[in-house]
């Protein structure tokens, strides 16, 4: 059933507005704000309420539904949980205003748009385009690859846990909760980001990626965002001194790299489903 759900998710992404209707975080963020306002919730207790409880309810619901009607009742629950667990917004569309400013050669507008729309700041245009390229790779990874990795490996509960930790880490105003959620998310990122890096090697510059991964493969402290940005640029053969238009064109080539990586993952999922 996992592979069928993964295929249905692609259909929902392409032909349906279900994701936009389903991904409503108001209740979750309201509960997070309420717990933080009390000032009494310990970080561990807060995450137990915000993350562990919803995941446990989902797992319990699936445990009840899966024996019924050969699992057909569980199928829509799997699909809804996975769609909700995907990242927020359209990664590629969010770059539209930046691309327009960059294409015009308006560095000030590009810096402003990147800070407004992408939350990125840079001292100059050269470092900005590198940060935007890294942003594209990171957002694609955390929105899609990390989620489907945990879904295929451990089911919808793990995918939901990843998204709730990400929301808590990004939205919390209490340092203790934010730090603990970030640490747990880092732990959940450690394995899938390395699988993505290996996938980049298989669909991109294998030798260059291997050279980078020799130093980063077992490094616990390197962040997933830094690793996926570094490996993605290397896999796409991005030079450090590319001109403006080449830097902009690299956004398209990086997107193609991500698409090839997704095709590779789905081929592996399909092969695993047939063989197991």
């Amino acid at each position: 059933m996992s592979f069928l759900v993964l295929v249905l998710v692609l259909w929902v992404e392409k032909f349906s507005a279900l994701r936009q209707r389903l991904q409503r975080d108001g209740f979750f963020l309201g509960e997070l704000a309420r717990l933080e306002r009390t000032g009494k919730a310990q970080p561990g207790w807060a995450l137990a309420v915000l993350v562990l409880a919803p995941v446990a309810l989902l797992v319990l619901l699936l445990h009840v539904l899966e024996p019924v009607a050969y699992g057909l009742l569980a199928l829509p629950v799997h699909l809804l949980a996975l769609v909700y667990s995907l990242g927020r917004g359209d990664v590629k569309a969010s770059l539209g205003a930046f691309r327009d400013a960059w294409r015009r050669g308006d560095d000030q507008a590009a810096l402003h748009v990147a800070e407004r729309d992408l939350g990125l700041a840079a001292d100059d245009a050269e470092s900005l385009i590198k940060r935007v390229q890294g942003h594209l790779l990171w957002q694609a990874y955390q929105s899609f690859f990390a989620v489907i990795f945990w879904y295929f490996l451990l089911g919808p509960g793990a995918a939901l846990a990843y998204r709730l930790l990400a929301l808590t880490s990004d939205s919390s105003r209490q340092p203790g909760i934010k730090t603990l959620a970030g640490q747990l998310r880092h732990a959940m990122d450690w394995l899938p980001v390395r699988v993505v890096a290996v996938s980049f090697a298989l669909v991109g510059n294998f030798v260059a990626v291997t050279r980078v991964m020799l130093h980063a493969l077992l490094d616990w402290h390197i962040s997933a965002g830094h690793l996926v940005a570094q490996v993605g640029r290397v896999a796409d053969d991005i030079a450090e001194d590319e001109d403006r238009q080449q830097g902009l064109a690299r956004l398209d080539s990086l997107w193609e790299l991500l698409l090839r990586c997704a095709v590779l993952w789905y081929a592996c999922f399909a092969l695993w489903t047939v063989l197991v």
Side-chain angles (χ1 to χ4, degrees):
M1 178 171 24
S2 295
F3 183 71
L4 175 60
V5 172
L6 290 172
V7 172
L8 289 174
V9 162
L10 294 182
W11 184 87
V12 168
E13 279 284 285
K14 188 69 175 178
F15 302 107
S16 170
L18 176 63
R19 179 176 171 184
Q20 288 74 22
R21 293 197 297 266
L22 185 62
Q23 291 181 336
R24 308 288 178 135
D25 302 319
F27 177 78
F28 178 83
L29 297 178
E31 285 299 302
L32 173 61
R34 185 184 63 80
L35 284 173
E36 291 181 338
R37 279 197 304 270
T38 62
K40 299 178 181 179
Q42 296 297 319
W45 170 250
L47 290 183
V49 172
L50 294 168
V51 179
L52 184 60
V55 170
L57 287 174
L58 175 62
V59 171
L60 180 61
L61 176 62
L62 290 173
H63 179 73
V64 172
L65 292 178
E66 282 176 353
V68 180
Y70 301 100
L72 291 178
L73 294 180
L75 179 63
V77 179
H78 276 253
L79 181 60
L80 293 175
L82 184 56
V83 170
Y84 177 80
S85 300
L86 295 174
R88 276 42 181 161
D90 188 324
V91 177
K92 194 174 183 182
S94 66
L95 301 177
F98 169 81
R99 294 171 69 104
D100 291 340
W102 188 265
R103 192 177 292 110
R104 295 194 308 268
D106 190 341
D107 290 348
Q108 288 302 316
L111 289 165
H112 172 71
V113 168
E115 185 172 3
R116 182 196 66 193
D117 295 347
L118 310 177
L120 301 176
D123 296 329
D124 52 58
E126 181 181 354
S127 60
L128 177 62
I129 191 64
K130 294 178 182 178
R131 295 207 64 186
V132 172
Q133 292 167 353
H135 172 82
L136 173 63
L137 291 163
W138 163 247
Q139 291 299 324
Y141 161 78
Q142 68 90 23
S143 295
F144 180 73
F145 289 101
V147 174
I148 67 170
F149 174 89
W150 285 115
Y151 172 77
F152 194 80
L153 189 66
L154 296 178
L160 179 61
Y162 181 86
R163 182 53 51 204
L164 295 181
L165 284 173
L167 288 172
T168 305
S169 177
D170 293 340
S171 305
S172 178
R173 298 178 180 274
Q174 184 173 319
I177 297 175
K178 187 179 186 70
T179 299
L180 181 57
Q183 290 171 345
L184 293 174
R185 185 186 184 184
H186 175 74
M188 292 194 74
D189 276 325
W190 193 90
L191 182 57
V193 76
R194 282 155 178 79
V195 176
V196 168
V198 172
S199 304
F200 284 166
L202 294 175
V203 300
N205 189 328
F206 182 85
V207 175
V209 172
T210 303
R211 191 179 302 118
V212 173
M213 289 303 296
L214 285 175
H215 303 284
L217 183 61
L218 300 178
D219 187 351
W220 175 261
H221 300 288
I222 187 171
S223 70
H226 177 76
L227 181 60
V228 74
Q230 181 184 18
V231 173
R233 284 174 51 84
V234 170
D236 201 36
D237 293 319
I238 299 180
E240 294 295 326
D241 56 349
E242 286 188 335
D243 61 30
R244 296 184 62 90
Q245 293 308 313
Q246 286 177 322
L248 191 61
R250 284 298 185 180
L251 293 175
D252 294 324
S253 64
L254 286 172
W255 187 254
E256 292 171 1
L257 176 75
L258 291 164
L259 290 178
R260 294 198 301 272
C261 185
V263 170
L264 174 64
W265 277 40
Y266 268 75
C268 292
F269 291 154
L271 183 62
W272 180 265
T273 302
V274 170
L275 294 178
V276 175

